[in-house]
Amino acid sequence: MQDKYLGITPPMGWNSWNTFTWNINEDLIKETADAMVSSGLKDAGYEYVVIDDCWSLRQRDENGCLVADPEKFPHGMKAVADYVHGKGLKFGMYSCDGTHTCAGYPGSFEHEFQDAATFASWGVDYLKYDNCYKPHHINGEILYKRMSLALRNCGRDILFSACNWGSDDVWSWIQGSGAQLFRSTGDIQDSWESIKNLALSQMGKTPYSGPYCHNDIDMLVVGMYGGSNNEYIGSKLGGCTDVEYRTHFSLWALMNSPLMIGCDIRKMSEATKETLTNPELIAINQDIECRGPYVVPGHDPETLMALVKPMSDGSLAIGLFNLGDAKSEMSLQFWDMGIPVAAGMGLEMHNCWTHENEGVFTERYASQIEPHGCMVFRAKLVKAR
Ligand code: GLA
């Protein structure tokens, strides 16, 4: 085992599902790994290339092993993993705790240890584990614990991404399972409504995330612009604006969600690249203490949401989000963040999207925010007077 601290901060990477669903193959994965490097995403911190559902044959082989579909992956999965590793990246795959995956391929139920061994032999570094076709008589908690034990004992470091959509009060038992991620939401769609609803669904849940076990609000739709091949995910929804994608990325970064890209990174727009590689936002997401943000009181989060995440260097990451449909003034009272004026302390506000310092503020910060827009700051405590 080489990587003792697997999953200390939220993983960053790409996943095939949002844009390509069933339409995946060896060339797509290789080209995506190439693009991860050539576009600068790897340098920005993105590491995992993950194949989601629909990669296998519909039947196991005579020994009960999973088999990669030879039409999609003619050289087998080990060859794909080797290619991804050759680029200095890590390789991820997908299975399910039920008898079948959500798209109807074989699931790992009663094959957990065998499948973990198969994944290890192929060189898999990350396993997303879904929750479809789960036998009703068995508690999901047991099945996630089972696969976690199988992975932890397969002889290879494999990050375990549990994906039970927030069911069975997952946050109350997932830490004990050993998983590094837990999906706490249903599936994202490439629309503003979906982004907003997923963010609002996290109210009250952010404290359950922490180092080695991160709250996964689902993969990113940044840069998809309606480009999924799947109607439900968004081919008919029209996608979002760059402002909305930036707000989405900021929410996920501040809420410590894994940053798993879902667009076609072989042809990203400049705006998409700029959003996904913003080093200041990534630094907030990757802070080593992984403290979940709190919501500052004084606003109705349904329209105006202020999030504050304490950073390990003593500074505060602050996000001001206008989830409403009208331009609004938003103000942040420093008192609510534990900063009393009487002590003479203020905040030096650095804007993480314009990359400019806005100066030192005492008592409060206020600004107009465009509809569906946001501002993100890294704020340093300073003696103001
Ligand atoms: C579920 C998951 C998605 C995706 C699909 C694949 O819906 O939540 O993220 O993996 O299955 O079928």
Side-chain angles (χ1 to χ4, degrees), residues 15 17-18 52-54 94 101-103 128 130-132 163 165 183 185-187 218-219:
N15 175 299
W17 184 253
N18 281 352
D52 208 280
D53 205 349
C54 307
Y94 165 101
T101 71
C102 298
K128 174 173 169 182
D130 222 330
N131 197 37
C132 284
C163 176
W165 322 307
R183 258 281 287 285
T185 68
D187 288 10
D218 205 0
M219 299 162 302

Side-chain angles (χ1 to χ4, degrees), residues 168-223:
D168 304 329
D169 293 336
V170 62
W171 45 87
S172 67
W173 51 263
I174 196 71
Q175 299 272 348
S177 78
Q180 281 85 11
L181 293 182
F182 61 101
R183 258 281 287 285
S184 60
T185 68
D187 288 10
I188 196 167
Q189 293 173 295
D190 187 14
S191 74
W192 170 249
E193 275 307 297
S194 172
I195 292 167
K196 175 177 169 172
N197 289 337
L198 290 185
L200 287 171
S201 77
Q202 295 309 298
M203 298 300 91
K205 292 185 189 160
T206 53
Y208 296 103
S209 198
Y212 303 107
C213 195
H214 310 281
N215 184 355
D216 176 357
I217 339 178
D218 205 0
M219 299 162 302
L220 299 166
V221 292
V222 175

